Amino acid sequence: MKVLISVDGSEIAEKAFEWYLENFHKSQNEIVVGHVVEKPSAYHAHFAGGAVSSIPKDYLAEEIPEEIQREFQLLKKKYDAKLKNREIKYKLVFEATQDKLGEAIVKMVDKEHCGAIVTGSRGMGMIKRAILGSVSDYVMHNSKVPVLIYHA
């Protein structure tokens, strides 16, 4: 079975990844380490030093902005280093999308033919989650495959 482990640069994502390997991983499983970021659109506000300004035109014109590419490279190195010396079949999938993060993760599961998802949860309170939304909450309620949510 393929298992998607959704990661970002957070400590909770790294702990969810490690917890899965220590407690749930089976030798026949393949891991898909997935990272998704929202590409900015013309509708996103850009906050610079507390002031609202427009997003630089060239930033939107880039297919994947340099800043996102750097983030991808750092995470790829990190998770590749964690997995390459183990006898685990794995794949690193990193995407920039116009979709909301939760939607993109659910789509990645379908695209990669995964049978389960592992993700971390920052543990936002009910009010913050209602206002900001929660990626793990979206994934849990919209995934067609089992979801394991690691809480801090």
Side-chain angles (χ1 to χ4, degrees):
M1 171 174 62
K2 282 188 182 180
V3 177
L4 173 69
I5 303 177
S6 175
V7 300
D8 56 20
S10 71
E11 186 179 327
I12 192 73
E14 190 170 355
K15 285 182 178 180
F17 174 86
E18 296 294 339
W19 188 87
Y20 165 81
L21 289 179
E22 291 171 19
N23 297 285
F24 262 73
H25 184 71
K26 294 184 176 171
S27 59
Q28 68 270 22
N29 287 1
E30 178 181 347
I31 295 174
V32 176
V33 178
H35 175 67
V36 180
V37 294
E38 270 186 82
K39 284 173 57 175
S41 70
Y43 304 107
H44 281 90
H46 176 71
F47 296 94
V52 177
S53 64
S54 62
I55 296 174
K57 233 184 211 178
D58 58 333
Y59 190 78
L60 291 174
E62 294 179 59
E63 187 156 318
I64 299 179
E66 239 180 81
E67 165 185 323
I68 293 173
Q69 289 179 20
R70 278 193 303 274
E71 180 182 351
F72 282 178
Q73 291 308 314
L74 288 172
L75 286 171
K76 281 181 179 181
K77 282 182 185 177
K78 179 182 196 171
Y79 287 96
D80 191 45
K82 289 177 176 290
L83 289 165
K84 72 179 177 184
N85 293 326
R86 300 182 187 211
E87 292 183 22
I88 296 174
K89 186 174 178 183
Y90 70 96
K91 178 179 182 180
L92 304 172
V93 180
F94 290 64
E95 296 178 358
T97 180
Q98 293 293 326
D99 294 334
K100 295 290 182 194
L101 297 178
E103 291 175 47
I105 291 167
V106 170
K107 286 179 182 177
M108 187 180 284
V109 166
D110 290 339
K111 195 177 346 178
E112 295 298 325
H113 308 288
C114 296
I117 304 171
V118 176
T119 188
S121 175
R122 295 184 311 210
M124 290 190 293
M126 188 169 59
I127 294 172
K128 271 190 181 177
R129 191 170 47 248
I131 294 169
L132 300 174
S134 165
V135 174
S136 58
D137 200 50
Y138 180 91
V139 169
M140 179 179 63
H141 287 97
N142 292 279
S143 173
K144 296 174 187 162
V145 300
V147 179
L148 191 150
I149 298 175
Y150 179 89
H151 291 277

